[in-house]
Amino acid sequence: MTLYQPFLEYAIELIQQRLELQSYPIPAGFEHKSAIVGKGKQENEVVTTSYGYQSPKLRQIRAAHVQGGNALQVLNFVIFPHLNYDLPFFGADLVTLPGGHLIALDMQPLFRDDREYQAKYSDPILPIFETYQQHLPWGGDFPEEASAFFSPAFLWTRPKEHEAVETHVFEAFKAYLQAYLDFVDRAEPVTEPQALAAIKQSQLRYLRYRAEKDPARGMFNRFYGSEWTEEYIHGFLFDLERQLETADSV
Ligand code: DBV
């Protein structure tokens, strides 16, 4: 059972159609990682596969796909725009664990409390959000400090039924990604130095939060050890700081 494989295939096909796509380098040893976990009947192979792309406006489009049997399926798919665009992040965290499904889908704003920014990048998504929220009610508690990073169109839900993931969640994922690519089509480069500095600060704030609080850290530590995990997080999943240290343009 590979619940999120169709999501991944859809996303890759769509970005290939709509963007001038190039691959994004994945550090050696991180494209494919597997481990045997559990004992006896519980024994399972857990495979993590990584995907990376880039386009003229998008610095990194990347996915981590974790497959470890029926009760362990994760697709974390994030798009990080180049620092000279005010585009939000596309963020999808699709998680199936023994306890159930946990779905987070959003266009995560750079400037959440800026009304003009909201009008540009959140308001247009609200009708899409409302369409799917009818079937996918609010998922309840989530870390208070994370709320600063989500938009009013944050779809956060814990569907009880497997089928809801294959239908409503999949449709919502497609609609959000299409709408995101519409934003990308229209985005114009930012040139004003103050605006550029604000974008960089906001991207770094987001990135540091996600790297520091990555909810998958515990899971990856258990499967693959902490050395691999930290390198995966800082060297691939949330790599902006590293890139700023080494590259002259990002
Ligand atoms: N989450 C990631 C990456 C993952 C991943 C890179 C590759 O950012 C998986 C894997 N998310 C993942 C797993 C869990 C969650 C949970 C395995 C379950 C952890 C567990 O229960 O042990 C949205 N993801 C979550 C939660 C939230 C998100 C709110 C619940 C965490 C909790 O209750 O503590 N997406 C996540 C998030 C941000 C985001 C926190 C912040 C900006 O964009």
mmCIF file of all heavy atoms in Angstrom, residues 194-226:
data_model
loop_
_atom_site.group_PDB
_atom_site.id
_atom_site.type_symbol
_atom_site.label_atom_id
_atom_site.label_comp_id
_atom_site.label_asym_id
_atom_site.label_seq_id
_atom_site.Cartn_x
_atom_site.Cartn_y
_atom_site.Cartn_z
ATOM 1 N N GLN A 194 14.877 46.895 0.470
ATOM 2 C CA GLN A 194 14.211 46.656 1.762
ATOM 3 C C GLN A 194 13.268 45.455 1.699
ATOM 4 O O GLN A 194 13.187 44.657 2.621
ATOM 5 C CB GLN A 194 13.406 47.887 2.144
ATOM 6 C CG GLN A 194 13.963 48.596 3.359
ATOM 7 C CD GLN A 194 13.078 49.771 3.728
ATOM 8 O OE1 GLN A 194 12.684 50.549 2.855
ATOM 9 N NE2 GLN A 194 12.776 49.900 5.001
ATOM 10 N N ALA A 195 12.559 45.356 0.579
ATOM 11 C CA ALA A 195 11.629 44.239 0.396
ATOM 12 C C ALA A 195 12.407 42.927 0.293
ATOM 13 O O ALA A 195 12.006 41.904 0.861
ATOM 14 C CB ALA A 195 10.777 44.467 -0.844
ATOM 15 N N LEU A 196 13.530 42.966 -0.395
ATOM 16 C CA LEU A 196 14.356 41.755 -0.514
ATOM 17 C C LEU A 196 14.877 41.308 0.849
ATOM 18 O O LEU A 196 14.895 40.112 1.160
ATOM 19 C CB LEU A 196 15.540 42.011 -1.461
ATOM 20 C CG LEU A 196 15.185 42.111 -2.945
ATOM 21 C CD1 LEU A 196 16.388 42.626 -3.744
ATOM 22 C CD2 LEU A 196 14.732 40.754 -3.483
ATOM 23 N N ALA A 197 15.281 42.293 1.657
ATOM 24 C CA ALA A 197 15.794 41.947 2.989
ATOM 25 C C ALA A 197 14.691 41.329 3.839
ATOM 26 O O ALA A 197 14.921 40.364 4.587
ATOM 27 C CB ALA A 197 16.363 43.200 3.662
ATOM 28 N N ALA A 198 13.476 41.836 3.714
ATOM 29 C CA ALA A 198 12.357 41.308 4.492
ATOM 30 C C ALA A 198 12.027 39.871 4.072
ATOM 31 O O ALA A 198 11.738 39.005 4.907
ATOM 32 C CB ALA A 198 11.133 42.209 4.337
ATOM 33 N N ILE A 199 12.100 39.606 2.778
ATOM 34 C CA ILE A 199 11.836 38.248 2.281
ATOM 35 C C ILE A 199 12.873 37.275 2.826
ATOM 36 O O ILE A 199 12.544 36.187 3.321
ATOM 37 C CB ILE A 199 11.829 38.221 0.730
ATOM 38 C CG1 ILE A 199 10.602 38.968 0.195
ATOM 39 C CG2 ILE A 199 11.874 36.790 0.206
ATOM 40 C CD1 ILE A 199 10.629 39.207 -1.309
ATOM 41 N N LYS A 200 14.108 37.682 2.767
ATOM 42 C CA LYS A 200 15.180 36.801 3.251
ATOM 43 C C LYS A 200 15.004 36.495 4.743
ATOM 44 O O LYS A 200 15.131 35.346 5.181
ATOM 45 C CB LYS A 200 16.538 37.456 2.995
ATOM 46 C CG LYS A 200 17.707 36.580 3.362
ATOM 47 C CD LYS A 200 19.000 37.220 2.911
ATOM 48 C CE LYS A 200 20.193 36.483 3.469
ATOM 49 N NZ LYS A 200 21.456 37.160 3.126
ATOM 50 N N GLN A 201 14.698 37.530 5.522
ATOM 51 C CA GLN A 201 14.483 37.315 6.961
ATOM 52 C C GLN A 201 13.345 36.343 7.209
ATOM 53 O O GLN A 201 13.422 35.462 8.058
ATOM 54 C CB GLN A 201 14.185 38.652 7.671
ATOM 55 C CG GLN A 201 15.416 39.453 8.002
ATOM 56 C CD GLN A 201 16.581 38.577 8.475
ATOM 57 O OE1 GLN A 201 16.461 37.847 9.461
ATOM 58 N NE2 GLN A 201 17.695 38.624 7.764
ATOM 59 N N SER A 202 12.267 36.521 6.453
ATOM 60 C CA SER A 202 11.100 35.681 6.663
ATOM 61 C C SER A 202 11.372 34.234 6.234
ATOM 62 O O SER A 202 10.964 33.275 6.903
ATOM 63 C CB SER A 202 9.913 36.263 5.902
ATOM 64 O OG SER A 202 8.791 35.471 6.138
ATOM 65 N N GLN A 203 12.070 34.071 5.131
ATOM 66 C CA GLN A 203 12.418 32.708 4.695
ATOM 67 C C GLN A 203 13.297 32.025 5.739
ATOM 68 O O GLN A 203 13.104 30.842 6.055
ATOM 69 C CB GLN A 203 13.146 32.747 3.352
ATOM 70 C CG GLN A 203 12.208 32.953 2.169
ATOM 71 C CD GLN A 203 12.417 31.904 1.077
ATOM 72 O OE1 GLN A 203 13.118 30.915 1.267
ATOM 73 N NE2 GLN A 203 11.801 32.112 -0.068
ATOM 74 N N LEU A 204 14.251 32.769 6.281
ATOM 75 C CA LEU A 204 15.154 32.168 7.271
ATOM 76 C C LEU A 204 14.405 31.803 8.559
ATOM 77 O O LEU A 204 14.644 30.760 9.156
ATOM 78 C CB LEU A 204 16.316 33.116 7.584
ATOM 79 C CG LEU A 204 17.415 33.136 6.518
ATOM 80 C CD1 LEU A 204 18.393 34.287 6.762
ATOM 81 C CD2 LEU A 204 18.172 31.797 6.473
ATOM 82 N N ARG A 205 13.475 32.667 8.949
ATOM 83 C CA ARG A 205 12.703 32.409 10.151
ATOM 84 C C ARG A 205 11.896 31.111 9.991
ATOM 85 O O ARG A 205 11.868 30.246 10.870
ATOM 86 C CB ARG A 205 11.744 33.591 10.391
ATOM 87 C CG ARG A 205 11.095 33.629 11.751
ATOM 88 C CD ARG A 205 10.299 34.914 11.908
ATOM 89 N NE ARG A 205 9.065 34.858 11.112
ATOM 90 C CZ ARG A 205 7.846 34.747 11.635
ATOM 91 N NH1 ARG A 205 7.687 34.721 12.935
ATOM 92 N NH2 ARG A 205 6.786 34.697 10.858
ATOM 93 N N TYR A 206 11.266 30.977 8.850
ATOM 94 C CA TYR A 206 10.471 29.778 8.551
ATOM 95 C C TYR A 206 11.351 28.536 8.546
ATOM 96 O O TYR A 206 11.061 27.515 9.157
ATOM 97 C CB TYR A 206 9.799 29.975 7.189
ATOM 98 C CG TYR A 206 9.036 28.781 6.678
ATOM 99 C CD1 TYR A 206 7.750 28.511 7.130
ATOM 100 C CD2 TYR A 206 9.582 27.925 5.721
ATOM 101 C CE1 TYR A 206 7.032 27.419 6.648
ATOM 102 C CE2 TYR A 206 8.871 26.845 5.235
ATOM 103 C CZ TYR A 206 7.600 26.590 5.699
ATOM 104 O OH TYR A 206 6.901 25.511 5.224
ATOM 105 N N LEU A 207 12.461 28.683 7.839
ATOM 106 C CA LEU A 207 13.346 27.550 7.674
ATOM 107 C C LEU A 207 13.942 27.066 8.993
ATOM 108 O O LEU A 207 14.021 25.864 9.263
ATOM 109 C CB LEU A 207 14.461 27.992 6.751
ATOM 110 C CG LEU A 207 15.230 26.811 6.308
ATOM 111 C CD1 LEU A 207 14.831 26.456 4.931
ATOM 112 C CD2 LEU A 207 16.670 27.026 6.494
ATOM 113 N N ARG A 208 14.344 28.026 9.817
ATOM 114 C CA ARG A 208 14.946 27.650 11.103
ATOM 115 C C ARG A 208 13.913 26.966 11.977
ATOM 116 O O ARG A 208 14.214 25.992 12.660
ATOM 117 C CB ARG A 208 15.506 28.890 11.812
ATOM 118 C CG ARG A 208 16.774 29.389 11.163
ATOM 119 C CD ARG A 208 17.277 30.671 11.807
ATOM 120 N NE ARG A 208 18.476 31.125 11.099
ATOM 121 C CZ ARG A 208 18.722 32.396 10.793
ATOM 122 N NH1 ARG A 208 17.869 33.361 11.148
ATOM 123 N NH2 ARG A 208 19.815 32.713 10.151
ATOM 124 N N TYR A 209 12.702 27.485 11.947
ATOM 125 C CA TYR A 209 11.647 26.858 12.733
ATOM 126 C C TYR A 209 11.429 25.416 12.291
ATOM 127 O O TYR A 209 11.382 24.494 13.092
ATOM 128 C CB TYR A 209 10.338 27.655 12.631
ATOM 129 C CG TYR A 209 9.232 26.989 13.403
ATOM 130 C CD1 TYR A 209 9.123 27.152 14.781
ATOM 131 C CD2 TYR A 209 8.316 26.146 12.765
ATOM 132 C CE1 TYR A 209 8.140 26.495 15.507
ATOM 133 C CE2 TYR A 209 7.336 25.488 13.480
ATOM 134 C CZ TYR A 209 7.239 25.670 14.848
ATOM 135 O OH TYR A 209 6.276 24.999 15.558
ATOM 136 N N ARG A 210 11.305 25.229 10.988
ATOM 137 C CA ARG A 210 10.990 23.894 10.485
ATOM 138 C C ARG A 210 12.131 22.919 10.724
ATOM 139 O O ARG A 210 11.906 21.749 11.044
ATOM 140 C CB ARG A 210 10.614 23.961 9.005
ATOM 141 C CG ARG A 210 9.340 24.774 8.834
ATOM 142 C CD ARG A 210 8.272 24.168 8.026
ATOM 143 N NE ARG A 210 8.175 22.749 7.956
ATOM 144 C CZ ARG A 210 7.470 22.107 7.055
ATOM 145 N NH1 ARG A 210 6.838 22.782 6.127
ATOM 146 N NH2 ARG A 210 7.393 20.796 7.060
ATOM 147 N N ALA A 211 13.351 23.389 10.553
ATOM 148 C CA ALA A 211 14.496 22.489 10.786
ATOM 149 C C ALA A 211 14.574 22.129 12.266
ATOM 150 O O ALA A 211 14.778 20.971 12.631
ATOM 151 C CB ALA A 211 15.789 23.151 10.320
ATOM 152 N N GLU A 212 14.371 23.120 13.104
ATOM 153 C CA GLU A 212 14.506 22.885 14.545
ATOM 154 C C GLU A 212 13.382 22.000 15.074
ATOM 155 O O GLU A 212 13.605 21.115 15.888
ATOM 156 C CB GLU A 212 14.501 24.235 15.262
ATOM 157 C CG GLU A 212 14.822 24.139 16.733
ATOM 158 C CD GLU A 212 14.608 25.476 17.446
ATOM 159 O OE1 GLU A 212 14.763 26.528 16.783
ATOM 160 O OE2 GLU A 212 14.263 25.455 18.635
ATOM 161 N N LYS A 213 12.148 22.236 14.582
ATOM 162 C CA LYS A 213 10.980 21.544 15.131
ATOM 163 C C LYS A 213 10.499 20.396 14.260
ATOM 164 O O LYS A 213 9.372 19.938 14.422
ATOM 165 C CB LYS A 213 9.825 22.546 15.317
ATOM 166 C CG LYS A 213 10.107 23.655 16.301
ATOM 167 C CD LYS A 213 10.231 23.091 17.714
ATOM 168 C CE LYS A 213 10.952 24.034 18.645
ATOM 169 N NZ LYS A 213 10.119 24.951 19.361
ATOM 170 N N ASP A 214 11.284 19.976 13.305
ATOM 171 C CA ASP A 214 10.809 18.954 12.373
ATOM 172 C C ASP A 214 10.147 17.792 13.116
ATOM 173 O O ASP A 214 10.811 17.048 13.844
ATOM 174 C CB ASP A 214 11.980 18.447 11.534
ATOM 175 C CG ASP A 214 11.511 17.541 10.403
ATOM 176 O OD1 ASP A 214 10.360 17.074 10.453
ATOM 177 O OD2 ASP A 214 12.299 17.315 9.480
ATOM 178 N N PRO A 215 8.846 17.617 12.935
ATOM 179 C CA PRO A 215 8.156 16.544 13.673
ATOM 180 C C PRO A 215 8.584 15.140 13.236
ATOM 181 O O PRO A 215 8.230 14.163 13.897
ATOM 182 C CB PRO A 215 6.672 16.790 13.390
ATOM 183 C CG PRO A 215 6.602 17.728 12.255
ATOM 184 C CD PRO A 215 7.926 18.401 12.101
ATOM 185 N N ALA A 216 9.340 15.051 12.165
ATOM 186 C CA ALA A 216 9.780 13.732 11.712
ATOM 187 C C ALA A 216 11.131 13.333 12.301
ATOM 188 O O ALA A 216 11.595 12.212 12.088
ATOM 189 C CB ALA A 216 9.866 13.712 10.192
ATOM 190 N N ARG A 217 11.744 14.266 13.051
ATOM 191 C CA ARG A 217 13.088 13.994 13.549
ATOM 192 C C ARG A 217 13.154 12.699 14.369
ATOM 193 O O ARG A 217 14.041 11.870 14.167
ATOM 194 C CB ARG A 217 13.588 15.171 14.369
ATOM 195 C CG ARG A 217 15.000 14.974 14.920
ATOM 196 C CD ARG A 217 15.496 16.189 15.693
ATOM 197 N NE ARG A 217 16.316 17.055 14.877
ATOM 198 C CZ ARG A 217 15.981 18.265 14.432
ATOM 199 N NH1 ARG A 217 14.807 18.769 14.718
ATOM 200 N NH2 ARG A 217 16.816 18.973 13.708
ATOM 201 N N GLY A 218 12.175 12.520 15.287
ATOM 202 C CA GLY A 218 12.163 11.330 16.147
ATOM 203 C C GLY A 218 12.074 10.050 15.330
ATOM 204 O O GLY A 218 12.808 9.084 15.564
ATOM 205 N N MET A 219 11.201 10.084 14.353
ATOM 206 C CA MET A 219 11.006 8.928 13.493
ATOM 207 C C MET A 219 12.275 8.605 12.702
ATOM 208 O O MET A 219 12.747 7.466 12.685
ATOM 209 C CB MET A 219 9.837 9.277 12.550
ATOM 210 C CG MET A 219 9.525 8.314 11.474
ATOM 211 S SD MET A 219 8.157 8.953 10.425
ATOM 212 C CE MET A 219 9.082 9.833 9.167
ATOM 213 N N PHE A 220 12.862 9.611 12.088
ATOM 214 C CA PHE A 220 14.081 9.374 11.307
ATOM 215 C C PHE A 220 15.235 8.919 12.201
ATOM 216 O O PHE A 220 16.019 8.049 11.809
ATOM 217 C CB PHE A 220 14.478 10.635 10.539
ATOM 218 C CG PHE A 220 13.648 10.902 9.307
ATOM 219 C CD1 PHE A 220 13.188 12.174 9.021
ATOM 220 C CD2 PHE A 220 13.343 9.872 8.425
ATOM 221 C CE1 PHE A 220 12.437 12.425 7.880
ATOM 222 C CE2 PHE A 220 12.588 10.112 7.279
ATOM 223 C CZ PHE A 220 12.131 11.400 7.010
ATOM 224 N N ASN A 221 15.325 9.504 13.391
ATOM 225 C CA ASN A 221 16.361 9.064 14.333
ATOM 226 C C ASN A 221 16.246 7.571 14.618
ATOM 227 O O ASN A 221 17.243 6.855 14.640
ATOM 228 C CB ASN A 221 16.248 9.821 15.658
ATOM 229 C CG ASN A 221 16.980 11.149 15.624
ATOM 230 O OD1 ASN A 221 17.921 11.325 14.861
ATOM 231 N ND2 ASN A 221 16.545 12.072 16.461
ATOM 232 N N ARG A 222 15.025 7.137 14.855
ATOM 233 C CA ARG A 222 14.815 5.718 15.163
ATOM 234 C C ARG A 222 15.180 4.826 13.992
ATOM 235 O O ARG A 222 15.776 3.772 14.158
ATOM 236 C CB ARG A 222 13.351 5.459 15.546
ATOM 237 C CG ARG A 222 13.010 5.787 16.982
ATOM 238 C CD ARG A 222 11.686 5.151 17.410
ATOM 239 N NE ARG A 222 10.559 5.431 16.504
ATOM 240 C CZ ARG A 222 9.883 6.571 16.478
ATOM 241 N NH1 ARG A 222 10.219 7.550 17.287
ATOM 242 N NH2 ARG A 222 8.872 6.734 15.647
ATOM 243 N N PHE A 223 14.813 5.248 12.802
ATOM 244 C CA PHE A 223 15.046 4.389 11.636
ATOM 245 C C PHE A 223 16.501 4.415 11.182
ATOM 246 O O PHE A 223 17.082 3.383 10.875
ATOM 247 C CB PHE A 223 14.179 4.843 10.442
ATOM 248 C CG PHE A 223 12.706 4.813 10.700
ATOM 249 C CD1 PHE A 223 11.853 5.613 9.952
ATOM 250 C CD2 PHE A 223 12.166 3.982 11.680
ATOM 251 C CE1 PHE A 223 10.482 5.587 10.179
ATOM 252 C CE2 PHE A 223 10.801 3.960 11.915
ATOM 253 C CZ PHE A 223 9.957 4.764 11.160
ATOM 254 N N TYR A 224 17.051 5.610 11.086
ATOM 255 C CA TYR A 224 18.320 5.758 10.366
ATOM 256 C C TYR A 224 19.459 6.335 11.195
ATOM 257 O O TYR A 224 20.552 6.537 10.669
ATOM 258 C CB TYR A 224 18.101 6.642 9.129
ATOM 259 C CG TYR A 224 16.942 6.219 8.235
ATOM 260 C CD1 TYR A 224 15.967 7.137 7.846
ATOM 261 C CD2 TYR A 224 16.820 4.906 7.773
ATOM 262 C CE1 TYR A 224 14.908 6.775 7.014
ATOM 263 C CE2 TYR A 224 15.757 4.529 6.949
ATOM 264 C CZ TYR A 224 14.804 5.462 6.575
ATOM 265 O OH TYR A 224 13.771 5.102 5.753
ATOM 266 N N GLY A 225 19.198 6.653 12.469
ATOM 267 C CA GLY A 225 20.245 7.210 13.313
ATOM 268 C C GLY A 225 20.308 8.728 13.218
ATOM 269 O O GLY A 225 19.829 9.332 12.259
ATOM 270 N N SER A 226 20.930 9.345 14.218
ATOM 271 C CA SER A 226 20.872 10.802 14.305
ATOM 272 C C SER A 226 21.821 11.492 13.334
ATOM 273 O O SER A 226 21.554 12.606 12.884
ATOM 274 C CB SER A 226 21.130 11.268 15.736
ATOM 275 O OG SER A 226 22.461 10.986 16.081
#
